[in-house]
Amino acid sequence: MTTIERIHARYVYDSRGNPTVEVDLTTNLGTFRSIVPSGASTGSNEAVELKDGDKSKWEGKGVLQAVENVNEILGPELIKSEISVTKQKQVDDFLKKLDGTANKIKLGANAILGVSMAVCKAGAAELKLPLYEHIAQLAGDEAAIKNKKYVLPVPFLNVLNGGVHAGGKLAFQEFMIAPIGASSFREGLRYATEVYHTLKKLAQSKYGQGAGNVGDEGGVAPDVDTAEEALDLIYEAIKKCGYEGKVCIGMDAASSEFHKVAKQYDLDFKSPEHNKILSGEQLGELYVELLQKYPIVLLEDPFAEDDWDSWKHFYNVTYKKLDQNVEIVTDDLTVTNTKLLQNAIQERVGNSLLLKVNQIGTVSESIDAANMAFKNDWSVFVSHRSGETEDTFIADLTVGLKAGHLKSGAPARSERLAKYNQLLRIEEQIGDDGVYAGRDFGRAKKL
């Protein structure tokens, strides 16, 4: 049995220039590295990303304590335990026990996740498996393991940024394109890059050269005021490229960011005028209008994390007005947490889980959340964070879980492309044993 020889953490920088945790785990087979991402639009129930709070350094965003917790506590104790790197759940349970809190506030979810992901990579090497195949085994996907059949996901690329990810007045945070009509991941990514470059040129021609500047996740950020303006621009780019019907649209409203008291939503929250205040029910009607007008196949976080009434009314009443199937994705509401997910399933508020590994803080808990979603006929949508790194773990995770779709930003900025490029490699490696999710992205687990 391969044992862990050394675990060492350091701070490196994420895509926003803020410190984050990097972990190197060494066995006799080599060194396995992980880097932890960080979110800007975060749910209040997420596992705690431990920050130093020292305003004299990095504006309080340092992670020196999290790094120390790996080097002085998590690493030494895990090595002493002699748990095999192939025993992911046992390792993760051990790490959680060392922390001893429900939200990982003592040692930090960023410290724990860094070790957890590095262990997963080392476990794959120990078993002589590609990372995605090791994850499939951890998830208990016997069919994929036996038949060696894997699903390449549809990339949902955030090509136009608003909300807290960009300037301008646009309240909604992300507008994504999804090449569901392609025949392969490789072809789909090509479609997406062509639409992206066309969109950038259109934005510059209509809103000036500055409209080609990009937000946190690589999408353009023109100074548009409404969702309709943004969607018109994207739809025009799709049609100009000749991909109408082949490339569709996804939206992440990130509505917790503009939710006000008494279940009201301020679509003008970035302006001093605040002239666009809607009730949850009115906001739901606006979504239906957009879903009927544009080829939107996915809507994420349409309501705030604590506005359960609006979620339930929309999914069980307003949403029923649609004659098309649209994924209603929960993010801030469920934060990759099985307890919150179970409640969301029982309350019937959506049909898809957004999975972010750093929301919960370990690989095995992320897998547990995905399996719970699948068991209840929900889909799983794997996601990056706005503060990303060059780590490609979530690409393998998406394939290993047969999640069928993932978002990792626009095709611009290497920390986003790293995931898409890894999927190109995986597709090449899998060959004929892989199938592209395409229009079945929401039911990929059953392919």
Side-chain angles (χ1 to χ4, degrees), residues 254-324:
S255 56
S256 291
E257 300 297 333
F258 55 87
H259 180 232
K260 303 301 177 185
V261 295
K263 300 172 185 175
Q264 291 186 321
Y265 293 84
D266 183 2
L267 297 188
D268 208 20
F269 81 104
K270 293 194 285 184
S271 170
E273 288 82 17
H274 301 285
N275 290 326
K276 301 175 185 175
I277 307 293
L278 300 180
S279 68
E281 193 168 332
Q282 289 171 325
L283 183 58
E285 294 291 345
L286 173 59
Y287 290 135
V288 167
E289 290 176 16
L290 297 177
L291 295 175
Q292 289 173 331
K293 185 177 179 181
Y294 301 97
I296 298 171
V297 294
L298 179 149
L299 176 60
E300 179 186 333
D301 271 0
F303 305 99
E305 61 184 315
D306 57 356
D307 188 6
W308 286 84
D309 288 342
S310 292
W311 276 95
K312 287 189 284 188
H313 184 271
F314 178 74
Y315 189 67
N316 294 288
V317 180
T318 314
Y319 173 74
K320 301 300 183 185
K321 297 177 182 179
L322 297 169
D323 59 3
Q324 72 259 44

Side-chain angles (χ1 to χ4, degrees), residues 383-410:
S383 174
H384 64 163
R385 298 309 298 256
S386 54
E388 256 304 332
T389 76
E390 57 267 35
D391 196 312
T392 63
F393 182 84
I394 62 170
D396 285 82
L397 180 68
T398 306
V399 176
L401 293 177
K402 291 175 73 173
H405 50 331
L406 131 151
K407 63 173 178 174
S408 184

Side-chain angles (χ1 to χ4, degrees), residues 2-23:
T2 297
T3 57
I4 302 170
E5 297 174 355
R6 184 172 186 259
I7 296 176
H8 176 71
R10 65 181 65 84
Y11 74 84
V12 293
Y13 290 88
D14 68 20
S15 61
R16 290 201 301 262
N18 293 323
T20 191
V21 178
E22 178 176 83
V23 174

